[in-house]
Protein backbone atom coordinates (compact mmCIF):
# COMPACT_ATOMS: atom_id res chain seq x y z
CA UNK A 1 0.00 0.00 0.00
CA UNK A 2 1.35 3.40 -1.02
CA UNK A 3 0.16 6.65 0.60
CA UNK A 4 1.19 10.29 0.25
CA UNK A 5 1.21 13.51 2.27
CA UNK A 6 0.39 17.04 1.13
CA UNK A 7 4.03 17.84 2.04
CA UNK A 8 5.21 15.48 -0.74
CA UNK A 9 6.33 12.47 1.27
CA UNK A 10 5.41 8.93 0.24
CA UNK A 11 4.96 5.93 2.51
CA UNK A 12 5.02 2.26 1.61
CA UNK A 13 3.50 0.05 4.29
CA UNK A 14 4.56 -3.44 5.34
CA UNK A 15 2.60 -4.31 8.48
CA UNK A 16 3.38 -1.66 11.12
CA UNK A 17 6.55 -0.47 9.32
CA UNK A 18 6.38 2.37 6.79
CA UNK A 19 9.23 3.18 4.42
CA UNK A 20 9.29 6.97 3.96
CA UNK A 21 10.75 9.12 1.20
CA UNK A 22 10.01 12.19 -0.88
CA UNK A 23 7.97 12.03 -4.06
CA UNK A 24 9.28 12.41 -7.61
CA UNK A 25 7.47 15.76 -7.71
CA UNK A 26 9.36 16.99 -4.62
CA UNK A 27 12.70 15.77 -5.98
CA UNK A 28 12.08 17.61 -9.25
CA UNK A 29 11.11 20.81 -7.42
CA UNK A 30 14.23 20.69 -5.25
CA UNK A 31 16.66 20.03 -8.07
CA UNK A 32 19.96 18.19 -7.63
CA UNK A 33 20.45 17.23 -4.00
CA UNK A 34 23.91 17.78 -2.54
CA UNK A 35 23.28 16.90 1.13
CA UNK A 36 20.92 14.70 3.13
CA UNK A 37 20.69 14.54 6.92
CA UNK A 38 18.65 11.68 8.36
CA UNK A 39 17.30 11.04 11.87
CA UNK A 40 18.99 8.64 14.29
CA UNK A 41 17.73 5.07 14.52
CA UNK A 42 15.61 4.93 17.69
CA UNK A 43 14.44 8.54 17.36
CA UNK A 44 10.70 8.98 17.89
CA UNK A 45 8.63 11.57 16.08
CA UNK A 46 5.12 12.88 16.13
CA UNK A 47 3.27 13.51 12.88
CA UNK A 48 4.66 16.57 11.06
CA UNK A 49 7.85 16.74 13.17
CA UNK A 50 11.06 17.67 11.35
CA UNK A 51 12.64 14.28 10.66
CA UNK A 52 15.26 14.93 7.98
CA UNK A 53 16.87 17.74 6.00
CA UNK A 54 17.76 17.89 2.33
CA UNK A 55 19.84 20.52 0.58
CA UNK A 56 19.96 21.12 -3.14
CA UNK A 57 21.81 23.66 -5.20
CA UNK A 58 18.60 25.73 -4.93
CA UNK A 59 17.56 25.48 -1.27
CA UNK A 60 17.44 23.56 2.00
CA UNK A 61 14.19 21.87 2.95
CA UNK A 62 12.84 19.85 5.85
CA UNK A 63 11.35 16.39 5.41
CA UNK A 64 8.52 15.85 7.87
CA UNK A 65 7.59 12.68 9.69
CA UNK A 66 4.26 11.72 8.12
CA UNK A 67 2.91 9.76 11.13
CA UNK A 68 3.77 9.11 14.79
CA UNK A 69 6.43 6.46 15.22
CA UNK A 70 10.00 5.36 15.85
CA UNK A 71 12.78 5.28 13.27
CA UNK A 72 13.96 1.67 12.95
CA UNK A 73 16.25 2.01 9.92
CA UNK A 74 17.83 4.75 7.82
CA UNK A 75 19.11 4.70 4.25
CA UNK A 76 22.83 5.48 4.63
CA UNK A 77 23.22 5.22 0.83
CA UNK A 78 21.47 8.59 0.30
CA UNK A 79 23.71 10.28 2.88
CA UNK A 80 26.74 8.99 0.97
CA UNK A 81 25.21 9.77 -2.44
CA UNK A 82 22.30 12.28 -2.29
CA UNK A 83 21.80 12.01 -6.07
CA UNK A 84 20.04 8.66 -5.46
CA UNK A 85 17.05 10.67 -4.24
CA UNK A 86 16.91 12.48 -7.61
CA UNK A 87 17.46 9.38 -9.75
CA UNK A 88 15.09 7.03 -7.87
CA UNK A 89 13.05 8.99 -5.28
CA UNK A 90 10.41 6.31 -4.76
CA UNK A 91 12.87 3.39 -4.82
CA UNK A 92 16.55 3.41 -3.86
CA UNK A 93 16.19 7.02 -2.65
CA UNK A 94 14.02 6.19 0.39
CA UNK A 95 14.86 8.04 3.63
CA UNK A 96 13.92 5.96 6.68
CA UNK A 97 11.70 3.20 7.99
CA UNK A 98 9.21 4.09 10.70
CA UNK A 99 7.59 1.70 13.17
CA UNK A 100 4.13 3.23 13.43
CA UNK A 101 2.54 4.04 16.77
CA UNK A 102 -0.90 3.50 15.22
CA UNK A 103 -1.25 1.86 11.80
CA UNK A 104 -4.83 3.13 11.47
CA UNK A 105 -3.45 6.70 11.23
CA UNK A 106 -2.42 5.81 7.66
CA UNK A 107 -6.08 6.21 6.71
CA UNK A 108 -5.67 9.99 7.09
CA UNK A 109 -3.09 10.13 4.26
CA UNK A 110 -3.69 10.66 0.54
CA UNK A 111 -3.96 7.82 -1.93
CA UNK A 112 -2.13 8.10 -5.26
CA UNK A 113 -5.13 9.55 -7.13
CA UNK A 114 -5.64 12.28 -4.49
CA UNK A 115 -1.92 13.11 -4.51
CA UNK A 116 -1.85 13.39 -8.32
CA UNK A 117 -4.83 15.74 -8.11
CA UNK A 118 -3.00 17.83 -5.49
CA UNK A 119 0.06 18.38 -7.70
CA UNK A 120 -1.84 18.78 -10.99
Amino acid sequence: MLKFTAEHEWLKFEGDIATVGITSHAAEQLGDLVFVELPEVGATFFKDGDAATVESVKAASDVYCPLDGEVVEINQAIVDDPSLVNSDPQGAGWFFKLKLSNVADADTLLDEAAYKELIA
Side-chain angles (χ1 to χ4, degrees):
M1 177 174 65
L2 203 57
K3 292 282 196 164
F4 298 87
T5 71
E7 290 75 33
H8 311 291
E9 287 99 20
W10 60 265
L11 296 87
K12 182 180 175 190
F13 296 90
E14 295 169 49
D16 64 348
I17 304 291
T19 301
V20 179
I22 63 171
T23 63
S24 301
H25 176 78
E28 288 166 18
Q29 296 297 311
L30 286 165
D32 293 337
L33 294 186
V34 295
F35 176 79
V36 175
E37 182 179 82
L38 295 174
E40 298 285 323
V41 171
T44 55
F45 291 98
F46 292 108
K47 180 179 163 98
D48 299 330
D50 294 349
T53 304
V54 293
E55 288 182 20
S56 69
V57 290
K58 293 182 188 176
S61 186
D62 290 323
V63 176
Y64 302 103
C65 194
L67 295 170
D68 296 355
E70 178 184 348
V71 175
V72 293
E73 188 179 338
I74 60 165
N75 186 0
Q76 185 61 41
I78 66 169
V79 174
D80 299 336
D81 182 6
S83 71
L84 282 173
V85 177
N86 295 108
S87 62
D88 192 9
Q90 289 178 227
W94 62 275
F95 278 58
F96 55 88
K97 294 190 179 187
L98 192 67
K99 183 172 180 23
L100 301 174
S101 299
N102 184 358
V103 177
D105 290 345
D107 295 342
T108 64
L109 301 173
L110 303 170
D111 64 16
E112 192 162 3
Y115 181 73
K116 284 182 175 172
E117 195 173 297
L118 175 79
I119 61 173

